[in-house]
Amino acid sequence: MAGRLLLVGTAHVLELALPLERVLRTFDPDVVALELDRERWAALRAPVRPRRGPLLLRLLASLQERLGEMLGAPPGSDMLAAGRTAQWLGVRVALVDLPVGPTLQRAWRALDWRERLALVRELAPLLAGADLLMTGPATADNPIATGDFSRELAEFARRFPSLQRELIDRRDRYMARRLVALLRDGQRVAAVVGEGHLAGLARRLARVSPQVVPLRRLLELGRQV
């Protein structure tokens, strides 16, 4: 299975269509695997995205929309671009993530009171309609410019260990199993996932020697287009 898996790290609110298409076409996969479940894939492709589901899901969706407005790309544009590229290549799309509703409900139940309080404080500016300055100014060392979110991811894991276990680690394990199953079918698989899942997946799939394209490489390619 060595050499038959490509892992691509993206950001769901950045415009990455051209570099993502370039990377996928170069790898020439048999299947493009997306960090989505059926519900989210259907919602992304719907003309009007419905506002339903757990409160945490709706808050996160609103947060992504606000960030997308700031950064020039609608939430989920990376997944839609990967899906379009799969269609152009004539290969199938595989949805390899856990269902979002039960995952968020499990994550909320796992939070202790300290984490819940900290999460409410994080989301309070969004609920109040305040400007989101999570990423700071677009300086050369800003993660939006560099694609390096390692500091932010480490801080998230420190402040919200329960969310880290449920929203990152658990999903990493599930997606890794799904990708191995696709590889066992003899297919070349390109997996497009959020940058926060890239390190965990690469570690869990090290035995199959995946090619890894981090977000910073996509941004570099985007500047070359």
Side-chain angles (χ1 to χ4, degrees):
M1 292 188 285
R4 291 197 283 111
L5 175 62
L6 173 70
L7 299 175
V8 185
T10 68
H12 301 321
V13 294
L14 292 181
E15 179 51 64
L16 300 167
L18 291 178
L20 187 54
E21 176 187 344
R22 178 177 172 183
V23 167
L24 293 178
R25 285 183 179 274
T26 299
F27 184 72
D28 192 25
D30 299 307
V31 59
V32 174
L34 304 181
E35 180 210 323
L36 291 173
D37 63 298
R38 291 183 183 276
E39 180 181 349
R40 279 180 290 162
W41 183 228
L44 279 179
R45 295 184 295 167
V48 178
R49 296 180 188 178
R51 289 286 188 181
R52 62 174 185 266
L55 175 60
L56 185 55
L57 175 59
R58 284 180 275 138
L59 289 173
L60 292 175
S62 297
L63 176 61
Q64 284 197 330
E65 285 181 6
R66 295 283 297 280
L67 285 173
E69 290 169 3
M70 293 169 59
L71 301 171
S77 59
D78 55 339
M79 297 293 147
L80 288 171
R84 286 194 299 270
T85 301
Q87 185 177 19
W88 293 335
L89 293 173
V91 303
R92 75 183 183 94
V93 168
L95 307 177
V96 297
D97 201 4
L98 286 165
V100 63
T103 297
L104 288 175
Q105 290 169 358
R106 187 182 298 107
W108 179 255
R109 290 195 299 268
L111 291 171
D112 63 28
W113 69 269
R114 295 180 184 83
E115 291 173 291
R116 291 190 182 189
L117 180 59
L119 186 60
V120 168
R121 287 174 175 169
E122 288 288 326
L123 294 175
L126 174 63
L127 293 170
D131 289 335
L132 295 173
L133 299 176
M134 295 171 60
T135 54
T139 56
D141 60 349
N142 186 280
I144 293 298
T146 64
D148 182 4
F149 286 86
S150 55
R151 182 174 57 188
E152 287 74 17
L153 292 169
E155 178 66 8
F156 175 82
R158 184 188 70 80
R159 295 185 63 193
F160 303 106
S162 298
L163 291 183
Q164 173 71 28
R165 288 193 303 272
E166 294 296 331
L167 298 184
I168 305 295
D169 299 340
R170 188 170 184 271
R171 291 166 62 205
D172 285 352
R173 289 194 298 272
Y174 181 84
M175 288 191 286
R177 290 195 296 269
R178 293 292 305 277
L179 292 174
V180 168
L182 291 172
L183 291 171
R184 284 174 178 162
D185 290 339
Q187 301 174 98
R188 288 173 60 81
V189 180
V192 180
V193 301
E195 180 74 5
H197 293 285
L198 196 63
L201 285 174
R203 183 174 64 254
R204 287 176 169 84
L205 295 166
R207 64 186 183 280
V208 300
S209 303
Q211 299 178 43
V212 178
V213 177
L215 176 59
R216 64 177 180 274
R217 178 56 180 157
L218 281 187
L219 292 174
E220 290 170 359
L221 290 173
R223 288 189 283 267
Q224 296 171 12
V225 175

